[in-house]
Amino acid sequence: MSLIAECFRRLTETSCKNELRGYKITDVNRTRKFGVACRSLQELKRKACTKLNITNDLAEVNVFLLDGSLIDEDYFHTLEPQTTLILQKPGEKVLSDADLLYDTLRRVNIEYLTAGDKVSEFLSEKLKNKIAVLNNALNKDDSKTAFSLKEDHPEWFRGLETNYTTKEAYMHRRCQDRIRGYLYKTIDQIRSSEIYLNDRKARQQLLQTIAFFKMQLKEDHYFGYYFDRSRAAKDGNETDGIDETDSYDCYDHCPCRLSRLDDSTHFRLFGREAKSDLDELDARKITKVSVEGDRDDDDERAECPFRIQLRNADERRAICDRKGEFRCEGLWNAAECTYGARHRINPYRSREELVLFSTWNLDHKIERSRTLVPRLLDMSLRDNVNEKDVYDIYENLFTLKNLRLVHVVCHDKGSHKLEY
C-alpha cells in the first residue's frame, strides 16, 4: 500500500470515529428499546443510562451485542449504525439470542411442542442434548452453501444486524468476538483478584501482561480466520495465492486495520497504575494522558518487556474445510469425538445452521479460570513474570494449542484435571 493511500485510510478512520451515529439500546430483559445518537462508547453509556434510568457509575456498566459479545471503545467504532446494543448493570446476566431461544423452548412453547406423547418424552429430558438431533432435521440443501455474497443467498443474512456482504466476513468477526470474550474474562478475573488489588509490584506486571495480550491479539487478527472458510487449507488441486491474512488485505472490521499506537506509548498507558479506565479512552484522551504520563516519576513508567511474535501463513488457517464444514473434536480429555459424523455442522449452508453453530464452543483443555489465570497471578506475586511464560499462557488462552471446537454435548463444564 502506498504512503498516500495509507495516509488517506488513517484520515478516513479518524473522521469516522468523530462522526455522530445512531444506535438502538435495550436492557438485559429486552423490555424497552430506545434510539441514541453518539460519537463514542462513553457518550452512548451516558445517554443510554439516562434513558433507561440507570444510576450506576459508567465504569460499572457494560455494553453487549445481541449475541453476548462485550463491546470496548475500539470495537464500538467498527459497529454499523442502528445496531442494537444491551446495557448491563452490575449483577445482571446478559442472555444471547441463542440463550433466549433455548429458554423460549423450555418455558414458553414447551406445551405446543409436546403435543404428542413421543415428542413430549423427547423434549422433557435433556433438551439441550437434543440439539444434535435437531441439527440432523435441518435443511440439508447444499445448493447455496458455496455462495458467499448476500445478494446470492439473502435468507442466510436474514435477521442479522450487519451490513456485511459476505458470509466469510461475518464468520470472521464472530470468531473474533469469541476470542475477545476470553480476553475480557481474563482481564476481569485478574483485576478482581486480591493480588492485583493489594500488591503494587504484581499489579504493574499484570498490567504489562494485559497490554501484551491486547497487542499480540491485534497482530494475530484476534484469530478471526478460525471460522473463515476462505482461510481454510487448500486441497491438492489448488495453488497458493497471496497471503490473505495480511493486514492490508484483511476485513475492514479487523483490529489490524485500526490506527496503531507505538509500543512505548501503549505500555506507558496500560503498563502503569492508571487513575481511570484507559481501555475506553478515545484518541483525544489517549493523547492527553500520554503527555501527562511523561511528567510522572521514572518508577511509574513501564517499558515494553515482551516482544510481539509474528505468525507464519501456515498457522493462520481456518478450522473448517473449504466448504465451511466444522467437526467436533470431542471431550477435552478424548482423542476425538465419539459421535463421529453426527457432530458436524456447516454454518455457511443455512441460517438455521448458523444459529445452531452459536451453541458450539471453543473449549479450553487447560482451563482459563481454574488454571491459566491463577498461574499468571502466582507468577506476578513471586515477581517471576517472564516473556516465555507469558507467551505460553497467551497461546493456551487464545490459540488452538489449547482450544478445541466442540459440540454442546461434548462441552464438559466440570473441572478439567489436566497437568500443566
Side-chain angles (χ1 to χ4, degrees), residues 58-116:
L58 292 185
E60 298 177 335
V61 177
N62 292 317
V63 180
F64 291 83
L65 290 176
L66 293 180
D67 65 2
S69 301
L70 182 63
I71 303 300
D72 64 6
E73 187 70 44
D74 282 342
Y75 192 30
F76 172 76
H77 290 292
T78 70
L79 298 178
E80 299 293 340
Q82 301 307 314
T83 298
T84 298
L85 302 171
I86 303 171
L87 253 70
Q88 176 210 42
K89 297 185 295 185
E92 292 183 328
K93 181 180 180 181
V94 175
L95 296 179
S96 67
D97 284 346
D99 293 327
L100 290 174
L101 174 61
Y102 179 75
D103 286 347
T104 299
L105 288 173
R106 291 284 296 180
R107 296 184 287 103
V108 179
N109 294 329
I110 196 69
E111 292 183 2
Y112 174 78
L113 291 172
T114 57

XYZ file of all heavy atoms in Angstrom, residues 58-116:
471
model
N -20.630 4.879 35.345
C -20.483 4.414 33.961
C -19.441 3.302 33.851
O -19.554 2.422 32.984
C -20.103 5.570 33.042
C -21.170 6.655 32.819
C -20.677 7.665 31.790
C -22.489 6.043 32.378
N -18.417 3.340 34.693
C -17.375 2.313 34.640
C -17.923 0.935 35.018
O -17.329 -0.092 34.674
C -16.219 2.687 35.567
N -19.055 0.894 35.726
C -19.645 -0.375 36.148
C -20.646 -0.914 35.129
O -21.139 -2.030 35.268
C -20.359 -0.193 37.491
C -19.440 0.234 38.636
C -20.223 0.463 39.923
O -21.435 0.759 39.827
O -19.625 0.331 41.006
N -20.956 -0.120 34.120
C -21.959 -0.506 33.124
C -21.258 -1.059 31.887
O -20.328 -0.442 31.365
C -22.836 0.702 32.734
C -23.827 0.309 31.637
C -23.577 1.233 33.955
N -21.686 -2.228 31.432
C -21.114 -2.847 30.239
C -22.095 -2.795 29.083
O -23.318 -2.713 29.282
C -20.736 -4.311 30.513
C -19.575 -4.428 31.479
O -18.607 -3.691 31.368
N -19.669 -5.352 32.424
N -21.577 -2.863 27.876
C -22.393 -2.837 26.664
C -22.114 -4.110 25.869
O -20.958 -4.474 25.639
C -22.078 -1.599 25.803
C -22.945 -1.588 24.548
C -22.303 -0.315 26.605
N -23.178 -4.804 25.440
C -23.055 -6.067 24.727
C -23.820 -6.029 23.405
O -24.799 -5.293 23.255
C -23.631 -7.225 25.565
C -22.837 -7.559 26.796
C -23.006 -6.836 27.968
C -21.921 -8.593 26.784
C -22.280 -7.140 29.113
C -21.192 -8.908 27.927
C -21.378 -8.187 29.090
N -23.395 -6.865 22.459
C -24.189 -7.154 21.275
C -25.259 -8.179 21.637
O -25.204 -8.804 22.693
C -23.304 -7.715 20.158
C -22.314 -6.759 19.498
C -21.463 -7.517 18.484
C -23.040 -5.606 18.819
N -26.212 -8.384 20.733
C -27.282 -9.345 20.999
C -26.763 -10.777 21.105
O -27.427 -11.637 21.681
C -28.342 -9.257 19.886
C -29.145 -7.949 19.840
C -30.146 -7.998 18.692
C -29.868 -7.693 21.154
N -25.571 -11.050 20.519
C -25.028 -12.403 20.619
C -24.206 -12.614 21.872
O -23.588 -13.659 22.066
C -24.194 -12.739 19.374
C -22.941 -11.881 19.236
O -22.697 -11.048 20.134
O -22.221 -12.037 18.245
N -24.169 -11.588 22.756
C -23.453 -11.716 24.019
C -22.037 -11.202 24.002
O -21.324 -11.332 24.999
N -21.588 -10.579 22.890
C -20.220 -10.065 22.806
C -20.098 -8.739 23.550
O -20.898 -7.827 23.340
C -19.820 -9.849 21.333
O -19.906 -11.051 20.609
N -19.073 -8.648 24.405
C -18.812 -7.417 25.147
C -18.122 -6.403 24.244
O -17.236 -6.752 23.465
C -17.936 -7.727 26.360
C -17.593 -6.563 27.290
C -18.842 -5.996 27.943
C -16.606 -7.036 28.365
N -18.517 -5.126 24.351
C -18.010 -4.076 23.474
C -17.023 -3.188 24.219
O -17.279 -2.763 25.341
C -19.178 -3.200 22.955
C -20.221 -4.060 22.242
C -18.662 -2.108 22.022
C -19.715 -4.796 21.061
N -15.867 -2.907 23.585
C -14.963 -1.891 24.108
C -14.918 -0.722 23.122
O -15.596 -0.737 22.095
C -13.567 -2.464 24.375
C -12.873 -2.945 23.110
O -13.417 -2.747 22.006
O -11.773 -3.522 23.219
N -14.110 0.297 23.427
C -14.129 1.528 22.619
C -13.694 1.276 21.178
O -14.349 1.727 20.232
C -13.212 2.582 23.253
C -13.289 3.944 22.575
C -14.611 4.671 22.801
O -15.116 4.688 23.931
O -15.151 5.214 21.818
N -12.599 0.538 20.970
C -12.131 0.265 19.613
C -13.162 -0.520 18.816
O -13.437 -0.228 17.654
C -10.806 -0.517 19.647
C -9.621 0.375 19.964
O -9.757 1.614 19.811
O -8.564 -0.146 20.363
N -13.730 -1.548 19.459
C -14.721 -2.383 18.782
C -15.979 -1.580 18.467
O -16.608 -1.769 17.423
C -15.042 -3.572 19.688
C -15.819 -4.679 19.032
C -15.700 -4.948 17.683
C -16.685 -5.475 19.773
C -16.402 -5.982 17.091
C -17.397 -6.499 19.194
C -17.248 -6.750 17.857
O -17.945 -7.762 17.261
N -16.330 -0.653 19.360
C -17.529 0.168 19.166
C -17.463 0.926 17.845
O -18.459 1.041 17.141
C -17.667 1.148 20.330
C -18.761 2.171 20.147
C -20.094 1.838 20.318
C -18.445 3.479 19.775
C -21.095 2.774 20.130
C -19.434 4.421 19.593
C -20.764 4.072 19.771
N -16.286 1.428 17.480
C -16.166 2.230 16.272
C -16.246 1.401 14.992
O -16.275 1.960 13.905
C -14.861 3.035 16.306
C -14.874 4.140 17.320
N -15.687 5.248 17.198
C -14.192 4.289 18.489
C -15.493 6.040 18.251
N -14.601 5.479 19.036
N -16.286 0.075 15.115
C -16.456 -0.772 13.931
C -17.910 -1.204 13.735
O -18.232 -1.852 12.742
C -15.580 -2.032 14.031
O -16.092 -2.902 15.054
C -14.136 -1.667 14.338
N -18.790 -0.870 14.686
C -20.190 -1.285 14.604
C -20.928 -0.497 13.539
O -20.648 0.682 13.287
C -20.892 -1.087 15.959
C -20.362 -1.884 17.144
C -21.134 -1.515 18.396
C -20.467 -3.378 16.872
N -21.890 -1.159 12.919
C -22.734 -0.486 11.944
C -23.779 0.368 12.655
O -24.245 0.023 13.753
C -23.453 -1.528 11.060
C -22.523 -2.424 10.259
C -21.757 -1.667 9.204
O -22.208 -0.557 8.841
O -20.713 -2.165 8.739
N -24.166 1.512 12.055
C -25.247 2.322 12.634
C -26.527 1.496 12.781
O -26.780 0.578 12.008
C -25.417 3.454 11.616
C -24.106 3.551 10.925
C -23.579 2.139 10.853
N -27.304 1.828 13.781
C -28.584 1.178 14.102
C -28.416 -0.233 14.659
O -29.390 -0.986 14.756
C -29.524 1.165 12.882
C -29.861 2.540 12.341
C -30.395 3.475 13.433
O -31.254 3.081 14.225
N -29.876 4.693 13.475
N -27.198 -0.611 15.035
C -27.004 -1.879 15.733
C -27.694 -1.819 17.096
O -27.660 -0.800 17.783
C -25.497 -2.150 15.944
O -24.854 -2.246 14.674
C -25.274 -3.452 16.713
N -28.347 -2.908 17.483
C -28.987 -2.977 18.794
C -27.972 -3.414 19.838
O -27.283 -4.424 19.669
C -30.173 -3.956 18.787
O -31.167 -3.489 17.866
C -30.796 -4.073 20.169
N -27.877 -2.669 20.929
C -26.911 -2.936 21.994
C -27.617 -3.109 23.336
O -28.665 -2.493 23.564
C -25.901 -1.785 22.091
C -25.107 -1.482 20.820
C -24.316 -0.201 20.976
C -24.176 -2.640 20.482
N -27.059 -3.934 24.195
C -27.646 -4.227 25.506
C -26.789 -3.591 26.598
O -25.570 -3.771 26.617
C -27.729 -5.743 25.754
C -28.541 -6.431 24.643
C -28.326 -6.041 27.113
C -28.486 -7.953 24.713
N -27.424 -2.857 27.513
C -26.724 -2.291 28.663
C -26.896 -3.214 29.861
O -28.003 -3.655 30.168
C -27.282 -0.900 29.002
C -26.349 0.275 28.640
C -26.285 0.388 27.129
C -26.831 1.563 29.252
N -25.781 -3.492 30.519
C -25.808 -4.397 31.668
C -25.314 -3.695 32.918
O -24.224 -3.128 32.943
C -24.909 -5.609 31.393
C -24.784 -6.565 32.573
C -23.442 -7.277 32.596
O -22.415 -6.686 32.349
N -23.480 -8.566 32.905
N -26.125 -3.728 33.971
C -25.714 -3.216 35.280
C -25.012 -4.328 36.058
O -25.170 -5.505 35.741
C -26.941 -2.735 36.058
C -27.679 -1.568 35.423
C -28.803 -1.083 36.322
C -29.890 -2.141 36.486
N -31.051 -1.658 37.260
N -24.240 -3.983 37.093
C -23.578 -4.999 37.909
C -24.582 -6.005 38.476
O -25.658 -5.622 38.948
C -22.933 -4.183 39.037
C -22.726 -2.831 38.441
C -23.894 -2.604 37.527
N -24.254 -7.275 38.378
C -25.104 -8.325 38.910
C -26.123 -8.870 37.935
O -26.760 -9.887 38.209
N -26.313 -8.203 36.785
C -27.274 -8.679 35.798
C -26.612 -9.665 34.845
O -25.421 -9.570 34.564
C -27.857 -7.513 34.999
C -28.748 -6.589 35.806
C -29.362 -5.493 34.957
O -28.700 -5.063 33.976
O -30.474 -5.051 35.269
N -27.390 -10.597 34.320
C -26.895 -11.578 33.366
C -27.422 -11.246 31.975
O -28.613 -11.016 31.800
C -27.338 -12.996 33.758
C -26.831 -14.078 32.809
C -27.290 -15.459 33.243
C -26.780 -16.526 32.282
N -27.231 -17.895 32.679
N -26.523 -11.206 31.012
C -26.906 -10.932 29.626
C -27.158 -12.253 28.918
O -26.299 -13.137 28.896
C -25.802 -10.155 28.889
C -26.160 -9.999 27.419
C -25.614 -8.789 29.516
N -28.342 -12.392 28.347
C -28.692 -13.586 27.593
C -28.547 -13.303 26.104
O -29.052 -12.303 25.607
C -30.132 -14.015 27.893
C -30.438 -14.445 29.332
C -31.903 -14.807 29.469
C -29.568 -15.632 29.734
N -27.826 -14.177 25.399
C -27.699 -14.028 23.953
C -28.989 -14.479 23.276
O -29.884 -15.048 23.907
C -26.530 -14.870 23.443
O -26.823 -16.252 23.592
N -29.082 -14.257 21.962
C -30.257 -14.706 21.222
C -30.421 -16.220 21.338
O -31.542 -16.734 21.441
C -30.142 -14.309 19.745
C -30.425 -12.825 19.537
O -30.966 -12.197 20.470
O -30.117 -12.299 18.460
N -29.285 -16.940 21.315
C -29.358 -18.397 21.432
C -29.902 -18.806 22.804
O -30.704 -19.742 22.918
C -27.977 -19.015 21.208
N -29.484 -18.093 23.850
C -29.991 -18.378 25.200
C -31.493 -18.132 25.285
O -32.242 -18.907 25.871
C -29.286 -17.502 26.236
C -27.815 -17.827 26.386
O -27.467 -19.011 26.232
O -27.028 -16.905 26.643
N -31.936 -17.008 24.697
C -33.358 -16.682 24.719
C -34.172 -17.716 23.964
O -35.276 -18.090 24.378
C -33.589 -15.291 24.121
C -33.073 -14.110 24.962
C -33.242 -12.811 24.186
C -33.817 -14.027 26.281
N -33.630 -18.192 22.816
C -34.327 -19.215 22.048
C -34.467 -20.486 22.871
O -35.530 -21.107 22.924
C -33.558 -19.495 20.751
C -34.084 -20.650 19.885
C -35.516 -20.365 19.436
C -33.177 -20.863 18.687
N -33.389 -20.850 23.555
C -33.425 -22.055 24.388
C -34.435 -21.916 25.518
O -35.238 -22.811 25.778
C -32.032 -22.322 24.942
C -31.943 -23.533 25.844
C -31.975 -24.812 25.307
C -31.849 -23.396 27.224
C -31.901 -25.918 26.124
C -31.777 -24.499 28.046
C -31.796 -25.762 27.490
O -31.729 -26.855 28.299
N -34.424 -20.754 26.190
C -35.372 -20.517 27.280
C -36.804 -20.519 26.784
O -37.722 -20.975 27.479
C -35.063 -19.184 27.964
C -33.820 -19.265 28.838
O -33.369 -20.396 29.094
O -33.320 -18.216 29.247
N -36.999 -19.990 25.574
C -38.350 -19.969 25.000
C -38.851 -21.384 24.763
O -40.002 -21.726 25.064
C -38.361 -19.183 23.674
O -37.961 -17.842 23.944
C -39.761 -19.177 23.067
N -37.986 -22.235 24.245
C -38.364 -23.629 24.033
C -38.705 -24.311 25.355
O -39.618 -25.128 25.429
C -37.231 -24.383 23.345
C -36.986 -24.059 21.867
C -35.717 -24.753 21.389
C -38.167 -24.466 21.013
N -37.958 -23.929 26.387
C -38.164 -24.559 27.684
C -39.422 -24.063 28.387
O -40.148 -24.835 28.999
C -36.959 -24.276 28.594
C -35.684 -24.961 28.170
C -35.681 -26.415 28.497
N -35.719 -26.686 29.925
C -35.722 -27.897 30.439
N -35.699 -28.952 29.657
N -35.754 -28.067 31.740
N -39.687 -22.748 28.294
C -40.707 -22.158 29.168
C -41.984 -21.704 28.457
O -43.055 -21.772 29.017
C -40.116 -20.965 29.912
C -38.996 -21.352 30.855
C -38.488 -20.161 31.641
N -37.713 -19.254 30.805
C -38.163 -18.109 30.327
N -39.383 -17.713 30.596
N -37.385 -17.342 29.590
N -41.847 -21.231 27.220
C -42.998 -20.621 26.563
C -43.714 -21.585 25.631
O -44.919 -21.794 25.711
C -42.565 -19.360 25.780
C -43.762 -18.740 25.072
C -41.917 -18.368 26.724
N -42.961 -22.213 24.740
C -43.579 -23.035 23.714
C -43.537 -24.523 24.019
O -43.839 -25.341 23.169
C -42.882 -22.790 22.361
C -43.102 -21.379 21.870
O -44.132 -20.794 22.151
N -42.140 -20.840 21.139
N -43.169 -24.874 25.229
C -42.973 -26.282 25.531
C -44.262 -27.088 25.387
O -44.261 -28.207 24.884
C -42.367 -26.452 26.946
C -41.786 -27.847 27.123
C -43.379 -26.143 28.017
C -40.559 -28.094 26.302
N -45.410 -26.513 25.786
C -46.673 -27.255 25.672
C -47.061 -27.455 24.215
O -47.570 -28.498 23.829
C -47.776 -26.500 26.421
C -47.569 -26.488 27.931
C -48.720 -25.795 28.634
O -49.671 -25.371 27.938
O -48.673 -25.686 29.865
N -46.775 -26.429 23.428
C -47.100 -26.543 21.995
C -46.227 -27.607 21.333
O -46.688 -28.394 20.515
C -46.879 -25.193 21.314
C -47.045 -25.216 19.814
C -48.303 -25.232 19.228
C -45.921 -25.229 19.000
C -48.442 -25.261 17.860
C -46.047 -25.257 17.625
C -47.310 -25.268 17.056
O -47.439 -25.295 15.699
N -44.962 -27.646 21.731
C -44.025 -28.566 21.103
C -44.242 -30.007 21.550
O -43.874 -30.946 20.851
C -42.589 -28.145 21.434
C -42.118 -26.845 20.797
C -40.753 -26.455 21.366
C -42.033 -26.974 19.287
N -44.828 -30.198 22.722
C -45.020 -31.549 23.250
C -46.441 -32.043 23.021
O -47.070 -32.589 23.911
C -44.698 -31.575 24.756
O -45.527 -30.597 25.424
C -43.243 -31.235 25.009
N -46.935 -31.848 21.815
C -48.318 -32.210 21.500
C -48.535 -33.716 21.588
O -49.577 -34.179 22.032
C -48.689 -31.719 20.107
N -47.562 -34.497 21.179
C -47.704 -35.949 21.229
C -46.888 -36.553 22.345
O -45.932 -35.945 22.822
